[in-house]
Amino acid sequence: MAQFNYLNEINSLATMDGPITRGPLQRWVKKTTNENINPSLSASFKNVSSANISSCNQSMQKLSITANQSSNNSVLTNSKTPTRNENKKSKKTPSKNKSPGRSTTPTPNKASKTPNKADRFIPSRSNSNYDLCHYMMSRDDEKGEEVIAQTAAGEAIGRALTDTEPGRLLQYTCKAPAAPEGYQNRLRVVYSQAKVPSSVKNTTRYIPQAPDRILDAPDILDDYYLNLVDWSASNILAVALGQSVYLWNAGTGQIEELLTLEGSDTVCSVAWIQGGAPHVAVGTSSATVQLWDCEKMKRLRFMDGHSGRVGSLAWNMYIVSSGARDGNIVHHDVRQRDHALSTINAHSQEICGLKWSPDGKYLASGGNDNLLNIWPIVQGQYYSQPQFLYSFNQHLAAVKGLAWCPWSSGILASGGGTADRTIRIWNVNTGANLNTVDTKSQVCSLLWSTHYKELISGHGYANNQLVIWKYPLMSRVAELNGHMARVLHLALSPDGTTVLSAGADETLRLWKCFMLDPSKKKEPTDSKAAKSLLNMNSLIR
């Protein structure tokens, strides 16, 4: 009965409901046309087309009769003639039929059987341990917990299929090159220029790369050892230009000339008194210190005690400390007739840096002898002891840049000259050098930010720029370029948002590099009482 089932299947496959007038030829028609079939059948399929369906039906009837005869003759024999379904599954060449009257069908061409396909990627699995995978996945778990077994199997697969270390399916032969030192992404301006600085949280704040304002400073002395700029708590900037001192009101923009020295005498240093009183100390090349009332535009008194020019000044309440080329520090009490309270032989060469700590406990002095000295205060007084607490000799050049951290007690930053080029962070409470960074350029001045944990430095040879450093790592935050000569002096505005730089190119530039985030409330800062401790009637000229 098997042969009858076979014929029924052939008839059912060849039966069509109606003629097909549109569309491509059937697959079996194409195959029959292309292949060299039995001559008795080739005549039936020679004129097959999509428009002659009736002749196809007749050919299928003949095919059925021929297949019936073949099946009758080979019921008890092993026939190798492939059927239509077998041609789909096998590509082997059928053997010749030994029965008489049987025709053989040759193997179809491989090129016509298999369409062209692109090469597929076969990964290299030479390092894959499938035996270990099979063992780890098929072994019985001692605890009998299915979750633990699945976890162990997953780990086994990861170890076996990974060519390198566990857990990494992709690995590069070499790392991406690191950015050069000091690189800044200039494209961040594109994303932040339309926003208020620091208005977006968790993003890098926008630091302008150009100064907000540029002022002319003709005849400013190009001298590394002098200190010619200071910004008062009342928002008045004092600038020494040659023999004169000018006052610039940052709020109104008004400029006034405070004084002009006579003869060949020049101004070597300026420093405002603490507390916002309108009094400024002026150091001259004639080895004197003058005290001026900026409201009345009047000189109040002369103070001597040095034998060389006074290049640095520092206030601690009503005590003004002066450092000169003779290497001495003199503490002047501006309230008394005998103003010189103490004279200290501090350095063997000119003193170019002098700063009191914000709490008034320490005085830092830097000299051309490459030394940085820390002087403790006399108990119950506002001037220092004659014996230093520490004397640091790590700098290799003159130490002019000095700055005390306003929000961390006892932290001091110092910068060296051309032969040194380093910024060092000190803890004067312990005497430790916390950090050292090579700036690749002469350090002329230093300032701490009151709003951010950052430090800004002014540089001379050879970069002539300002650099903002992130504390305590001392990584570069930004570089501010614009000066054509070395940046000799820095001053911070009373609100702590603007830095003024004075360069040897005779320009003053204001940089808004420490702008506050409007979403954050300004923290109150501890400052000394804004009142003058001077009784001007008792001062003697």
Side-chain angles (χ1 to χ4, degrees):
M1 298 297 294
Q3 64 270 20
F4 296 106
N5 293 334
Y6 177 76
L7 292 176
N8 292 333
E9 292 178 0
I10 294 296
N11 291 330
S12 63
L13 292 174
T15 302
M16 299 183 181
D17 295 334
I20 299 176
T21 60
R22 300 179 63 183
L25 296 177
Q26 286 79 6
R27 185 183 177 201
W28 64 271
V29 176
K30 293 180 180 180
K31 293 175 62 177
T32 309
T33 304
N34 296 331
E35 296 174 358
N36 295 322
I37 61 174
N38 194 323
S40 63
L41 299 179
S42 61
S44 301
F45 294 99
K46 186 177 299 182
N47 297 323
V48 172
S49 63
S50 61
N52 192 2
I53 302 301
S54 60
S55 62
C56 294
N57 293 332
Q58 294 176 3
S59 300
M60 287 303 302
Q61 292 177 1
K62 293 181 180 181
L63 178 63
S64 300
I65 295 172
T66 306
N68 188 12
Q69 295 176 358
S70 301
S71 62
N72 291 333
N73 295 330
S74 59
V75 171
L76 300 178
T77 61
N78 186 12
S79 176
K80 297 297 183 179
T81 303
T83 63
R84 179 188 176 200
N85 293 333
E86 291 173 352
N87 286 333
K88 296 181 180 179
K89 300 179 181 179
S90 176
K91 297 181 181 179
K92 297 180 179 180
T93 303
S95 61
K96 296 182 179 180
N97 188 8
K98 298 180 180 179
S99 301
R102 287 292 302 270
S103 62
T104 60
T105 302
T107 303
N109 188 8
K110 185 177 181 180
S112 63
K113 182 69 176 179
T114 304
N116 293 329
K117 295 182 180 180
D119 294 339
R120 57 194 177 99
F121 173 73
I122 301 177
S124 175
R125 299 179 180 178
S126 59
N127 295 331
S128 302
N129 190 349
Y130 290 99
D131 293 337
L132 176 61
C133 289
H134 182 268
Y135 169 74
M136 296 294 292
M137 296 177 64
S138 61
R139 67 175 182 174
D140 295 334
D141 190 10
E142 297 178 357
K143 297 183 180 180
E145 297 181 1
E146 182 179 357
V147 176
I148 300 177
Q150 293 178 355
T151 303
E155 294 176 355
I157 293 174
R159 289 194 300 268
L161 296 180
T162 305
D163 294 337
T164 57
E165 57 188 77
R168 298 189 63 182
L169 297 179
L170 293 176
Q171 184 177 11
Y172 296 99
T173 57
C174 58
K175 296 182 179 180
E181 182 180 359
Y183 171 76
Q184 296 294 322
N185 186 5
R186 302 299 180 123
L187 294 180
R188 63 182 178 182
V189 179
V190 177
Y191 303 100
S192 59
Q193 63 181 356
K195 303 175 183 178
V196 179
S198 303
S199 61
V200 181
K201 296 182 179 180
N202 298 327
T203 57
T204 304
R205 76 178 192 276
Y206 170 57
I207 301 177
Q209 296 296 312
D212 181 68
R213 185 178 298 182
I214 301 177
L215 305 175
D216 290 329
D219 299 329
I220 190 170
L221 297 179
D222 184 8
D223 196 324
Y224 175 82
Y225 302 97
L226 307 183
N227 295 271
L228 305 177
V229 172
D230 196 19
W231 207 329
S232 73
S234 57
N235 208 18
I236 304 296
L237 180 70
V239 182
L241 303 177
Q243 294 181 305
S244 304
V245 175
Y246 292 88
L247 305 179
W248 178 67
N249 191 319
T252 63
Q254 183 180 1
I255 300 177
E256 295 180 320
E257 181 180 351
L258 177 63
L259 64 94
T260 299
L261 301 178
E262 298 177 354
S264 60
D265 199 3
T266 58
V267 179
C268 298
S269 57
V270 292
W272 289 96
I273 193 173
Q274 295 173 340
H279 300 98
V280 63
V282 178
T284 67
S285 59
S286 60
T288 62
V289 178
Q290 301 182 14
L291 185 64
W292 284 77
D293 187 341
C294 297
E295 284 186 351
K296 299 179 180 180
M297 296 293 179
K298 180 181 179 181
R299 184 178 58 202
L300 300 177
R301 66 181 305 176
F302 282 101
M303 292 175 288
D304 54 11
H306 291 286
S307 59
R309 66 177 185 178
V310 181
S312 55
L313 295 170
W315 284 91
N316 188 20
M317 298 298 287
Y318 48 83
I319 302 296
V320 58
S321 302
S322 59
R325 178 173 282 180
D326 56 12
N328 294 334
I329 297 176
V330 178
H331 300 294
H332 309 271
D333 188 343
V334 297
R335 305 172 303 168
Q336 300 180 10
R337 179 189 297 269
D338 297 330
H339 56 84
L341 298 178
S342 175
T343 300
I344 303 172
N345 187 7
H347 293 268
S348 60
Q349 297 187 36
E350 182 173 7
I351 298 175
C352 50
L354 200 62
K355 295 289 182 180
W356 277 100
S357 62
D359 55 10
K361 294 182 179 180
Y362 302 101
L363 175 66
S365 64
N368 197 29
D369 55 358
N370 307 345
L371 293 179
L372 169 62
N373 296 332
I374 307 299
W375 311 87
I377 196 173
V378 176
Q379 188 68 26
Q381 302 295 329
Y382 294 104
Y383 56 92
S384 69
Q385 299 179 9
Q387 180 62 37
F388 56 77
L389 178 64
Y390 297 107
S391 182
F392 302 115
N393 59 359
Q394 283 83 346
H395 284 289
L396 303 178
V399 183
K400 179 194 175 185
L402 295 176
W404 291 93
C405 183
W407 30 264
S408 183
S409 177
I411 302 300
L412 173 68
S414 63
T418 306
D420 183 70
R421 305 183 305 274
T422 63
I423 296 176
R424 295 180 180 269
I425 308 298
W426 309 89
N427 186 343
V428 299
N429 296 321
T430 61
N433 185 190
L434 302 180
N435 202 344
T436 302
V437 57
D438 186 2
T439 66
K440 310 296 183 182
S441 186
Q442 179 189 38
V443 182
C444 300
S445 187
L446 295 172
L447 280 179
W448 288 92
S449 172
T450 57
H451 301 310
Y452 302 93
K453 289 188 176 181
E454 294 174 352
L455 175 71
I456 187 169
S457 57
H459 297 275
Y461 307 117
N463 294 330
N464 302 328
Q465 63 183 355
L466 287 79
V467 180
I468 300 177
W469 308 86
K470 186 68 176 179
Y471 178 82
L473 298 179
M474 295 302 292
S475 58
R476 290 177 182 252
V477 176
E479 296 181 2
L480 306 179
N481 299 300
H483 281 284
M484 305 304 295
R486 55 181 178 173
V487 183
L488 294 171
H489 316 288
L490 295 178
L492 185 65
S493 63
D495 59 2
T497 62
T498 305
V499 173
L500 179 132
S501 61
D505 55 359
E506 298 186 345
T507 62
L508 305 177
R509 298 172 186 260
L510 287 88
W511 311 83
K512 292 185 176 296
C513 53
F514 294 133
M515 295 295 293
L516 284 171
D517 189 344
S519 63
K520 298 180 180 180
K521 296 182 180 179
K522 184 178 180 180
E523 299 180 358
T525 56
D526 295 334
S527 60
K528 298 182 180 180
K531 62 180 180 179
S532 176
L533 299 178
L534 305 179
N535 185 0
M536 296 305 169
N537 295 329
S538 64
L539 294 179
I540 300 177
R541 183 176 176 179

